[in-house]
Amino acid sequence: MEKTVSPAKSAITYGIMFGAIMILELVIMHITKPDPLEMSWVSMVVNLFNWLILPVLFISLACNNFKKNHNGGFISFGQCLKIGVSVAVVAAVLYSIFYLVFTMIFPEFIPDAVAQVERVTRAQNPDMPEDQLEMSVSMVSKFMQPALAIPISIVMNAFIGLIISLIVGAIVKRDNPAAAN
């Protein structure tokens, strides 16, 4: 009977690292408070990292770690999918727990962020009707509340993890010929 190795160890390890980096970004952004009107590139870079670069990096690392260190140089497409989605979900859950605690410790975080969004929206769209601005700011406020932000974050990360895992899996998969028998 052949021993099967779970991809969970690689997924959890790299998911924790990914989540820790997203937490660090949140803390740094909160401490430095970059002005979005003067430094709009900062949020673009953070979003690029969180939604593209870091997921590709950590899913690739986790798949290759499992393949080389835990599975004798082999990894199936399905294992890549499991690892990738797991990395993304572990990172999102870790970040979400921190976000919940962070918003409790710093209750001004969400109102300050919403006020900043309103200020930027007014500056970028000076002709926007007041009722449309209020509706926009209200939606931002709702989506920043942990009760809505946490499940959305987990689902979005799982989806992004799935898409990236499909791509990474197509590249790194190497089926074990002995397993086919």
Side-chain angles (χ1 to χ4, degrees), residues 29 32 34-36 38-48:
M29 294 291 283
T32 60
D35 184 358
E38 294 176 14
M39 300 175 69
S40 61
W41 61 271
V42 172
S43 61
M44 285 190 289
V45 169
V46 168
N47 285 329
L48 182 66

Side-chain angles (χ1 to χ4, degrees), residues 2-63:
E2 193 174 312
K3 167 179 114 165
T4 58
V5 181
S6 170
K9 184 176 181 183
S10 290
I12 291 171
T13 301
Y14 287 95
I16 289 171
M17 284 190 258
F18 180 16
I21 289 174
M22 289 193 305
I23 289 168
L24 186 62
E25 288 174 350
L26 175 67
V27 171
I28 290 170
M29 294 291 283
H30 180 70
I31 291 170
T32 60
K33 295 184 187 346
D35 184 358
L37 289 174
E38 294 176 14
M39 300 175 69
S40 61
W41 61 271
V42 172
S43 61
M44 285 190 289
V45 169
V46 168
N47 285 329
L48 182 66
F49 267 87
N50 288 343
W51 296 108
L52 183 64
I53 295 170
L54 292 177
V56 168
L57 174 69
F58 284 109
I59 290 170
S60 298
L61 288 171
C63 288

Side-chain angles (χ1 to χ4, degrees), residues 18 51 55 59 81-93 150-166:
F18 180 16
W51 296 108
I59 290 170
L81 291 179
K82 287 179 196 174
I83 290 170
V85 172
S86 297
V87 165
V89 169
V90 167
V93 167
I150 289 172
I152 289 173
S153 174
I154 293 169
V155 170
M156 285 295 297
N157 270 286
F159 180 72
I160 296 294
L162 176 66
I163 300 300
I164 291 171
S165 297
L166 289 169

